[in-house]
Amino acid sequence: MPPFFMNKRLIVLLVSIILLVALIGFSLRERENISWPEQFVKDIVGFGQNIASKPAGYAQGLIDNVQDLTNTYTENQKLKARLEEMALLETQVTDLSRDNEELRSLNGIEENLRDFNVVNATVIARNPDQWQESIIIDKGQVNGIKTDMAVQTASGMIGRVKDTSQFTSTVELLSARNANNRVSALIQSEESNVFGLVEGYDLEREELMVKKIPFDQEVQEGSKVITSGLGGVFPRDLVIGEVTEVTSDEYGLTQTAYVKPASSLYDLEHVMVIERVAAGQDEIEEDAQGEEEEE
Amino acid sequence: MTRLILPLLGVIIFYSESIFATFSPIEAFGDTRFLVPRFLFVFILFISVYYKQRTAYIYGFTFGFMYDLFFTGIIGIYMFLFPLLVYIALAILKLINQNIVVVGVLGLFLIAVLEWIVYQFNLLIGVAGVDFTTFATQRLYSTLLFNSLFILLLAYPFKSWMINVRQGEN
């Protein structure tokens, strides 16, 4: 053998590069969930992270509380103004939902795209290198969390569950650059609902983009964007955000709406994992056809 | 007892990174600035210089593996980069005078290299979508500044403590 191959360092380097490429290929491929050895390591690391994040979360909460105290007065004024509207809205909502229920039972529709179950979770870590926009929460498979469930805060949707282990889960935020990260959305216009796909995130504007809106549909700025539930993964009616600008795409065939996320995608502490109750591709398709006919 | 402190400190620093990451990004000087903590790497670098090289490689490999699995989900990047950068650091330190200022500056330089490699990799797999100028202004400078604070605060305690432990073992 020539002395070139006798060099121990070179062999170590070559072998490790081969291993590296193999491992990266293994972890980047499309898969439902991570393998059990990965889950095992994740659970062990997650256990420690859970303990470590508690005092940090407590300190953070304390600082937030003090900050909240300083704007109590202005907040109180605003809330008082909204309170009267609230009472009116509340009666309307109860009335309408009862009406809805009655009509549904009359027609024999049992499943509803809007139904969901909630699992509350606490954020225990954020990816320190901040390239993959992901957070880690303290609930896992034992709490009934599965991949692709929607995750939201009190103010709106923030992402979906990317992978789960027994006691922790990784949540991919809406701002992540991932071609598979699509949410079927619905823009509530005055006349009719406009459907589109949340696809991509504009880093400069820090806003989501809803693409593939037909050019003849009129979308007003300030309209609310919610999940449509037609993707078969998320339930309906999760708030995504508010339209800030509508532009036509480069060929003028479709429009793109910029949407300001309703919930901040940074500084997350408590989140809710949403499990969709309604299932079944056929039913979803029927529902979609029904809505198209209505329009 | 002293045998246990080193791994324990490693674990604490490992977890502290993700806690410090929750403060990031911040708005400063008219732009979003990401602060990426690289405390673990600094710690491993100091182990390699002032404690034992072998330990540093093992720590780099193990913590890199945990980092990959738990945070990024792409196994191999940090697991490979931490030992490699330690190797480069030791090779450079063989050539030049080894004092604490040199080690600190070298640490910062290697953090920049680490950030750049990770950026290039993320660009390759399509996770990162920014050009180099944006990367430099939004991430690199702020990250270097943030980590230089850590080095300034803890370089001397690390050095004296590790030398103490090594002498205690001999």
Side-chain angles (χ1 to χ4, degrees), chain A residues 13-282:
Chain A
L13 190 73
L14 282 177
V15 169
S16 49
I17 284 179
I18 292 170
L19 256 176
L20 175 77
V21 172
L23 278 172
I24 291 172
F26 170 76
S27 39
L28 278 182
R29 74 180 202 283
E30 293 284 320
R31 51 182 175 170
E32 190 82 344
N33 198 4
I34 50 178
S35 61
W36 71 264
E38 287 171 87
Q39 291 186 19
F40 182 69
V41 177
K42 258 191 117 161
D43 278 332
I44 292 174
V45 180
F47 177 73
Q49 182 72 59
N50 221 333
I51 297 169
S53 69
K54 286 285 179 290
Y58 181 73
Q60 179 94 33
L62 215 67
I63 295 167
D64 284 350
N65 281 347
V66 173
Q67 278 174 346
D68 281 349
L69 272 180
T70 53
N71 17 352
T72 313
Y73 181 74
T74 45
E75 247 170 39
N76 198 5
Q77 294 292 66
K78 276 184 200 163
L79 287 175
K80 262 184 192 159
R82 297 279 306 269
L83 205 61
E84 284 167 30
E85 292 172 40
M86 276 297 288
L88 190 68
L89 256 177
E90 208 174 318
T91 47
Q92 275 179 346
V93 166
T94 28
D95 189 40
L96 282 175
S97 58
R98 191 166 301 147
D99 193 35
N100 193 322
E101 258 171 50
E102 276 167 19
L103 287 173
R104 268 173 191 281
S105 62
L106 222 69
N107 283 322
I109 304 170
E110 280 172 8
E111 281 197 284
N112 190 340
L113 283 176
R114 291 167 181 82
D115 285 346
F116 56 76
N117 296 328
V118 174
V119 180
N120 287 304
T122 308
V123 177
I124 55 173
R126 197 185 175 94
N127 183 0
D129 81 359
Q130 292 157 51
W131 283 112
Q132 272 96 358
E133 293 288 350
S134 57
I135 53 172
I136 295 155
I137 56 173
D138 67 345
K139 294 281 156 65
Q141 282 168 18
V142 288
N143 307 93
I145 290 174
K146 296 190 191 75
T147 48
D148 280 336
M149 281 183 181
V151 180
Q152 69 163 18
T153 63
S155 40
M157 183 169 171
I158 54 163
R160 65 177 186 97
V161 177
K162 188 173 144 212
D163 52 54
T164 60
S165 63
Q166 294 300 318
F167 304 107
T168 61
S169 313
T170 307
V171 176
E172 190 172 56
L173 299 181
L174 286 175
S175 51
R177 270 174 62 92
N178 180 350
N180 297 332
N181 200 354
R182 286 183 194 166
V183 184
S184 172
L186 189 156
I187 302 171
Q188 294 179 316
S189 284
E190 273 172 30
E191 293 133 34
S192 65
N193 289 336
V194 180
F195 289 89
L197 283 176
V198 177
E199 252 178 283
Y201 183 75
D202 194 320
L203 282 168
E204 306 251 307
R205 302 174 60 123
E206 299 190 352
E207 282 173 351
L208 296 161
M209 290 181 284
V210 178
K211 291 185 181 168
K212 310 235 170 75
I213 304 169
F215 72 95
D216 54 350
Q217 300 272 14
E218 221 175 288
V219 177
Q220 283 94 13
E221 285 169 21
S223 334
K224 293 267 186 285
V225 182
I226 59 171
T227 54
S228 70
L230 300 181
V233 187
F234 306 131
R236 200 185 167 106
D237 271 356
L238 302 181
V239 180
I240 297 173
E242 205 179 278
V243 176
T244 55
E245 199 192 330
V246 185
T247 54
S248 62
D249 76 343
E250 46 191 320
Y251 306 112
L253 296 174
T254 58
Q255 302 178 86
T256 300
Y258 288 94
V259 175
K260 188 166 183 52
S263 168
S264 160
L265 296 176
Y266 301 109
D267 200 18
L268 299 162
E269 202 179 343
H270 297 290
V271 296
M272 290 175 269
V273 184
I274 307 294
E275 183 188 11
R276 176 185 156 116
V277 174
Q281 203 68 34
D282 306 329

Side-chain angles (χ1 to χ4, degrees), chain A residues 9 20 45 129-132, chain B residues 15 24 74 76 78 122 139:
Chain A
R9 273 181 210 157
L20 175 77
V45 180
D129 81 359
Q130 292 157 51
W131 283 112
Q132 272 96 358
Chain B
Y15 286 132
S24 167
I74 302 164
Y78 290 96
N122 280 320
R139 283 174 185 265

Side-chain angles (χ1 to χ4, degrees), chain B residues 142-157:
Chain B
S142 46
T143 298
L144 288 180
L145 203 70
F146 185 50
N147 284 289
S148 62
L149 273 177
F150 179 78
I151 294 177
L152 271 179
L153 278 175
L154 288 173
Y156 188 72

Side-chain angles (χ1 to χ4, degrees), chain A residues 3-14:
Chain A
F4 179 76
F5 286 106
M6 299 298 281
N7 194 334
K8 203 175 140 198
R9 273 181 210 157
L10 198 71
I11 291 176
V12 169
L13 190 73
L14 282 177

Side-chain angles (χ1 to χ4, degrees), chain B residues 12-74:
Chain B
I12 290 171
I13 290 173
F14 176 81
Y15 286 132
S16 77
E17 278 196 347
S18 67
I19 291 165
F20 275 100
T22 53
F23 301 132
S24 167
I26 53 167
E27 294 287 331
F29 306 108
D31 207 342
T32 317
R33 312 274 170 179
F34 289 87
L35 308 172
V36 183
R38 294 287 183 206
F39 307 155
L40 195 64
F41 175 68
V42 175
F43 178 66
I44 292 167
L45 182 73
F46 271 78
I47 292 178
S48 75
V49 178
Y50 294 112
Y51 187 60
K52 282 177 193 156
Q53 296 186 12
R54 212 181 120 78
T55 321
Y57 285 125
I58 295 170
Y59 275 39
F61 187 81
T62 324
F63 282 118
F65 180 65
M66 279 158 67
Y67 200 103
D68 280 334
L69 255 184
F70 192 64
F71 294 123
T72 62
I74 302 164

